[in-house]
Amino acid sequence: MADVYRSAEKVVVWLGPKGNGSDLALAAMTTTASKLQVDWYHYTIRPASEDTDFSWLDTENPLPFDDETYRSIAFLLERPWFERLWIWQEVFLAADRAEILLDIQPDYSKSVPDVFRDVMLRSIFQRLNANILSCCEVTAEPIILPSWVPDWASPRRCIEIWEPRACWNSFPHAKYDGDGILTMTGVCVTRITGSCDILPAGSLELSLMEQPPDLWILYTALKKVLSFLQANSPLYLEQNAETACRTICCNLFSDRFEPLNENVLDFPKTMTRFLRLADSTEEVSDDFLRECEWFLLDFYNFAAGRAFIVTHREGLIGLTPEACRENDCIVILLGCQSPMVLRPTNDGSFLVVGECYIQGLVDGEALLGPLPSNWRLASRFDEETKTWWKMFEDHDQGVWQVEDPRLGPLPKGWYEVEHPEQHLYAKFRDETKDAATIFDPRMLPSSLCERGVELQDFNLV
């Protein structure tokens, strides 16, 4: 069957009879595909033609469809065909880039857990990308998969964290011997000392289009978080209100973009409203809550299914899976951009609890230290590619650059390669090899150890 799909001139997929606006959904998808070209290797989006309007490229800007269209798309994606594992075979093997996409080879003798595990291992060892670990979410259900293998048969309990760069430009340093244990190198930054559930994961099942959350419920949930923070660190809000505000929304604010992105929250305005919401002596009205609606909805999106935590390391707070426990570790794994919550077991191994957001750890701080005070990291818009790229600005000099100012000289035998888009990202080459790489050799375990980073191996089960 694999050869049939791979050799087919055309593959037609039957999704079932028309219904629930399926024509509208397919038309919207066709329109979107005609506007955008996705580079899955660099995770970038480019215009499909010179006529593509900029708004289609902004991942923070809603697509120009009405509520009826969005509902029709949701109905379409809920059809049984999308729940079948072998859609990988029917579609991807028939595509030009099928073998590049994780080199998936269908094998009907394998169980679903085995297929999920193989996809995970191919991502890490072939594509040198461990970001897929962020899809792992521990649950109370019986465990049929290693904790480091995502259960793609179940819906996610939390939305993904917005563009973390915790491991910066490193690749996975991992080992798998076929025994169910995946060993990965990283650094344990701190441990959880207390947590507070915010909104149940089931909240995500409510459609914001059909049933907007009650703003008073969201305000009450926010007050619960702030009361918890106050009880665990009485002076925290007084001294670190900005950190608390940025953490609650995973730092998705306009000042993280250049130029300012009007499709996300304005930080100064949000900060002013946050301080008023946090003030226990301030009376809050319906009108003011409506003024804070955008902020509260962002809080709702990031908080549902998560817990607010404080850690052993002073000043570090964050959002973690609601299944977290006291003494769980906050870990940065090489090749995985999201900080991860790992749970120590009695035999010295670790369970993967899930990804988390910790303000002060999502921009490579655990491996490289904090940015110098005159530097900032932001997503800068490039007119040629019509894409936002992570770059560094020296705001004293008004200069932007690709290279992280925290990095020193390249290791001996390495050099940077010139290429057409070097103003957007760097490539490097080992002088003993022909191929260039996008991974920075200064992020290799040996280089990080020379910087004093206390790396260790984590046996994930």
Side-chain angles (χ1 to χ4, degrees), residues 110-414:
K110 289 185 176 181
S111 66
V112 171
D114 286 343
V115 173
F116 287 176
R117 181 202 60 209
D118 288 354
V119 170
M120 184 69 189
L121 293 173
R122 290 177 188 275
S123 178
I124 292 175
F125 291 102
Q126 292 187 10
R127 296 195 66 192
L128 300 180
N129 187 330
N131 291 333
I132 204 168
L133 269 174
S134 65
C135 297
C136 296
E137 295 178 308
V138 71
T139 68
E141 301 297 324
I143 297 176
I144 61 172
L145 292 164
S147 69
W148 50 269
V149 177
D151 180 7
W152 285 295
S154 302
R156 286 197 64 158
R157 298 170 64 83
C158 308
I159 68 169
E160 61 183 346
I161 301 298
W162 174 73
E163 292 192 358
R165 289 292 184 271
C167 74
W168 202 233
N169 201 13
S170 64
F171 66 86
H173 190 73
K175 180 179 70 172
Y176 183 70
D177 294 326
D179 54 1
I181 299 175
L182 175 66
T183 302
M184 296 194 67
T185 300
V187 58
C188 179
V189 182
T190 186
R191 292 177 181 264
I192 295 173
T193 57
S195 65
C196 166
D197 290 347
I198 309 171
L199 292 162
S203 303
L204 287 175
E205 297 173 3
L206 297 176
S207 168
L208 293 181
M209 296 181 294
E210 299 175 2
Q211 186 177 349
D214 186 316
L215 296 181
W216 281 101
I217 293 177
L218 301 185
Y219 171 59
T220 301
L222 176 63
K223 294 294 284 186
K224 179 183 177 182
V225 168
L226 298 178
S227 297
F228 165 78
L229 183 57
Q230 189 73 12
N232 282 270
S233 183
L235 296 178
Y236 194 93
L237 280 176
E238 180 180 334
Q239 299 173 349
N240 301 284
E242 178 176 335
T243 299
C245 183
R246 290 188 181 277
T247 299
I248 284 170
C249 290
C250 294
N251 207 14
L252 183 52
F253 291 103
S254 60
D255 62 352
R256 295 280 289 176
F257 297 83
E258 179 65 34
L260 295 179
N261 189 337
E262 297 180 355
N263 297 304
V264 295
L265 287 167
D266 176 86
F267 182 73
K269 291 180 180 178
T270 302
M271 185 65 189
T272 300
R273 292 164 182 161
F274 172 75
L275 290 174
R276 183 173 170 185
L277 291 170
D279 187 348
S280 58
T281 65
E282 183 78 28
E283 183 176 346
V284 174
S285 64
D286 288 337
D287 288 342
F288 183 64
L289 285 187
R290 281 192 289 272
E291 187 179 325
C292 300
E293 181 175 8
W294 191 357
F295 165 62
L296 290 172
L297 289 178
D298 270 14
F299 165 64
Y300 165 83
N301 285 329
F302 287 117
R306 291 196 166 99
F308 191 87
I309 60 106
V310 292
T311 71
H312 183 267
R313 185 167 163 181
E314 184 177 357
L316 288 184
I317 60 174
L319 296 173
T320 70
E322 61 184 0
C324 72
R325 298 176 185 170
E326 186 175 348
N327 288 323
D328 282 352
C329 301
I330 307 296
V331 174
I332 308 301
L333 298 170
L334 299 186
C336 179
Q337 298 293 3
S338 294
M340 299 298 296
V341 180
L342 303 184
R343 179 166 300 153
T345 66
N346 293 333
D347 64 3
S349 59
F350 293 84
L351 290 172
V352 177
V353 179
E355 73 169 345
C356 63
Y357 181 89
I358 309 291
Q359 182 71 16
L361 290 184
V362 290
D363 291 334
E365 294 91 339
L367 301 176
L368 300 175
L371 279 168
S373 59
N374 58 311
W375 288 87
R376 71 162 179 143
L377 172 63
S379 295
R380 193 181 190 204
F381 187 74
D382 175 65
E383 285 290 346
E384 182 179 352
T385 60
K386 303 297 183 183
T387 304
W388 299 91
W389 296 83
K390 293 287 187 181
M391 291 191 181
F392 298 89
E393 181 194 22
D394 180 345
H395 46 72
D396 285 350
Q397 303 295 325
V399 175
W400 288 86
Q401 66 183 45
V402 171
E403 177 152 320
D404 191 322
R406 296 169 292 187
L407 293 170
L410 288 168
K412 185 178 180 180
W414 284 86

Side-chain angles (χ1 to χ4, degrees), residues 48-64:
S49 70
E50 294 181 357
D51 298 329
T52 299
D53 184 79
F54 158 74
S55 61
W56 285 91
L57 302 167
D58 187 351
T59 57
E60 305 301 330
N61 188 45
L63 293 172

